[in-house]
Amino acid sequence: MEQLKSWLRGRHQIAVAVYSTPAAEAVLANNGLTIVDFLRPMSLVNKLNVPMRVGELSYRVQEVNLRLYAGDSMFQPKSEVIDQSLGQLLSLQAQRHTNLQPMPNLIQQVQSDSPETINPWFYAYQSEFLRLLRFTEHETLDHPVAGIFCIPADKAQALQIAQKLLTPESQLPLQASQSMLPLQDPMFAKHFVLVQDVAAGMDEAR
């Protein structure tokens, strides 16, 4: 039961889109990181005390864990691509677990053994299945409610660069299809981050 609760908490974390420019990504690429990799350790927001009410149930939110996704990755592949990817995964898992034996006492083993022992391939399949089916128009669980906009600090006219990230050309497919709040909507929370490479220095005039 605790394993199920942990899985559900992970699936219901708030989704946040990360928008960045190639120049901002290049700052962290020197260290083998992406902007999302860099921000992910800071995705836990704690020390909160926010009142929430759902129906007749009221409680206070103490912490929120954010799911960060690169904006340009927030789309669902075509059905043919999904089928092909899942088929390849099953073929690979079948090769890895060729030593699996029939279970004559299946019910007893289900009650006594861990799920990984009975179906060692299932969690890999489940994870890939859910990953590929994210970002559908009708399923709002993975729709981002906010955006983090990352721009390089060493570029002139940083404000213009930030404004360019807010243009319709930067919209997610879900926003272009009007399935979620557009970038310009004030209800779509926005946070701007200046990315600076300290080793490269910075022009103080900027």
Side-chain angles (χ1 to χ4, degrees):
M1 183 59 70
E2 289 302 318
Q3 186 177 14
L4 176 60
K5 289 181 179 179
S6 176
W7 181 82
L8 288 173
R9 281 195 298 267
R11 282 288 295 146
H12 288 79
Q13 293 170 354
I14 296 174
V16 175
V18 179
Y19 304 78
S20 62
T21 67
E25 291 285 357
V27 173
L28 293 171
N30 295 329
N31 297 309
L33 297 173
T34 65
I35 294 288
V36 173
D37 294 331
F38 175 74
L39 293 175
R40 190 165 284 127
M42 296 173 275
S43 61
L44 176 62
V45 183
N46 53 19
K47 297 182 179 180
L48 300 175
N49 189 24
V50 181
M52 294 285 291
R53 185 176 182 86
V54 181
E56 297 181 356
L57 177 65
S58 60
Y59 60 97
R60 290 186 174 271
V61 177
Q62 304 296 325
E63 65 178 34
V64 173
N65 207 336
L66 307 177
R67 287 183 294 147
L68 304 179
Y69 298 104
D72 58 6
S73 71
M74 301 186 79
F75 66 94
Q76 187 178 103
K78 294 182 179 180
S79 57
E80 310 87 70
V81 176
I82 294 176
D83 290 342
Q84 182 181 9
S85 179
L86 292 176
Q88 291 174 348
L89 184 141
L90 285 176
S91 298
L92 179 61
Q93 293 298 321
Q95 295 173 9
R96 288 181 176 176
H97 303 292
T98 54
N99 60 341
L100 290 178
Q101 300 296 323
M103 297 181 180
N105 300 316
L106 179 59
I107 295 179
Q108 181 179 352
Q109 288 190 266
V110 167
Q111 294 174 340
S112 60
D113 295 347
S114 65
E116 293 85 351
T117 302
I118 300 171
N119 281 328
W121 54 267
F122 176 74
Y123 287 113
Y125 181 87
Q126 180 191 55
S127 177
E128 183 69 358
F129 179 84
L130 293 175
R131 183 187 72 82
L132 291 169
L133 292 182
R134 287 175 182 156
F135 313 128
T136 58
E137 295 183 3
H138 64 277
E139 176 55 80
T140 61
L141 179 63
D142 295 311
H143 290 196
V145 298
I148 299 176
F149 299 82
C150 302
I151 57 179
D154 62 343
K155 299 295 182 181
Q157 299 179 329
L159 180 59
Q160 285 82 347
I161 296 175
Q163 290 175 337
K164 188 175 181 180
L165 289 176
L166 294 172
T167 60
E169 289 75 17
S170 299
Q171 288 190 125
L172 305 176
L174 290 171
Q175 290 168 325
S177 65
Q178 299 182 345
S179 300
M180 56 170 284
L181 293 174
L183 287 175
Q184 295 78 12
D185 195 302
M187 293 295 293
F188 186 75
K190 306 171 189 67
H191 184 75
F192 293 87
V193 176
L194 286 173
V195 182
Q196 178 185 355
D197 185 355
V198 178
M202 185 173 177
D203 185 352
E204 294 296 333
R206 294 176 179 172

